[in-house]
Amino acid sequence: MTIRVVLVDDQALVRVGLRTLFASEPDIDVVGEAAGGIEALAVVAHTRPDVVLCDIRMPAPDGLEVLRRITADPALRHVRVVMLTTFELDEYVFEALHAGASGFLLKDAEPTALLDAVRVVADGGSLLAPSVTRRVIEHFVHTKDTAQPHPRIGELTAREREVVAWVATGRSNKEIADELVVSPDTVRTHVSRAMLKLGARERAQLVVFAIRSGLQP
């Protein structure tokens, strides 16, 4: 199955590099690209890709606004967005995760990391495992006022709250299952129900909700 990708970055050199990288992969097809936010939204609406790689910092509308518009459009619900950033501790990363991004990548990441990221996200995963992601989340937790409990956090069962708290540590379903001495399928069920109750589009978004609601394992 071919993964359809759209590239969004105001630097032509970055787009050329990514397009060249993906051209050698039989399971990845670049179906469109854009240099700015307005163009990006038009390309995404027309091509309906599986994954969008989008630069956070672009002339208005920036990558965050592009992300928000994509996640707010029911017709684009299947589109996964990965934000690209130059800085490990970009001030916009936490907001991107909160807005429904599937994760983020540094522009200087190794080619294999970029390829793996596209495949992981297309398969329904989120880029939460790398330690850099945890460092970014921890950075914003300690430097910004993030105490904004989700209004529906009380709808979670005690077990769902516990599982969501573990999700916020960056652990996989299997790792959480080992901690709680249950099966990975049981953890997956709790995560799915929690996402539905809280309206989380992505697992990464669930992490932000957990942190802001003060959930801890």
Side-chain angles (χ1 to χ4, degrees):
M1 183 175 177
T2 302
I3 302 170
R4 305 171 74 253
V5 176
V6 163
L7 309 175
V8 181
D9 197 293
D10 60 345
Q11 297 181 39
L13 187 60
V14 172
R15 299 198 309 275
V16 169
L18 291 172
R19 187 169 65 246
T20 301
L21 172 65
F22 295 138
S24 63
E25 302 300 310
D27 62 331
I28 299 177
D29 182 20
V30 176
V31 296
E33 60 181 81
I38 295 298
E39 183 185 5
L41 292 169
V43 170
V44 171
H46 176 69
T47 60
R48 305 293 177 90
D50 300 302
V51 178
V52 176
L53 293 180
C54 183
D55 186 20
I56 289 182
R57 297 171 179 268
M58 294 189 300
D62 63 11
L64 276 177
E65 182 59 25
V66 170
L67 168 65
R68 292 189 185 102
R69 295 191 192 183
I70 290 175
T71 57
D73 189 343
L76 302 177
R77 184 166 182 79
H78 75 285
V79 178
R80 316 297 297 281
V81 183
V82 175
M83 308 306 293
L84 298 173
T85 178
T86 305
F87 307 102
E88 186 173 304
L89 294 180
D90 194 299
E91 64 188 65
Y92 297 126
V93 168
F94 195 83
E95 294 178 54
L97 293 175
H98 184 266
S102 293
F104 74 98
L105 284 170
L106 297 178
K107 288 186 179 181
D108 61 357
E110 292 294 327
T112 53
L114 286 167
L115 294 172
D116 289 344
V118 168
R119 292 177 177 121
V120 166
V121 169
D123 193 43
S126 292
L127 302 179
L128 287 177
S131 60
V132 62
T133 305
R134 287 198 292 270
R135 289 204 302 275
V136 169
I137 291 175
E138 290 168 1
H139 170 77
F140 282 96
V141 168
H142 290 103
T143 60
K144 299 184 73 174
D145 180 13
T146 57
Q148 301 174 22
H150 193 287
R152 296 173 59 188
I153 199 73
E155 296 180 20
L156 301 184
T157 65
R159 181 59 106 178
E160 288 167 353
R161 289 170 66 95
E162 185 177 25
V163 169
V164 170
W166 278 109
V167 169
T169 66
R171 285 171 170 77
S172 67
N173 286 347
K174 184 180 184 307
E175 290 171 330
I176 296 172
D178 291 342
E179 291 284 352
L180 301 180
V181 194
V182 296
S183 72
D185 285 341
T186 297
V187 172
R188 189 176 300 109
T189 297
H190 287 311
V191 170
S192 296
R193 288 176 178 170
M195 289 180 66
L196 183 62
K197 290 180 180 180
L198 299 181
R201 188 177 190 270
E202 302 285 351
R203 188 182 178 101
Q205 197 173 28
L206 190 64
V207 168
V208 177
F209 291 163
I211 292 173
R212 286 187 162 170
S213 300
L215 298 186
Q216 296 181 351

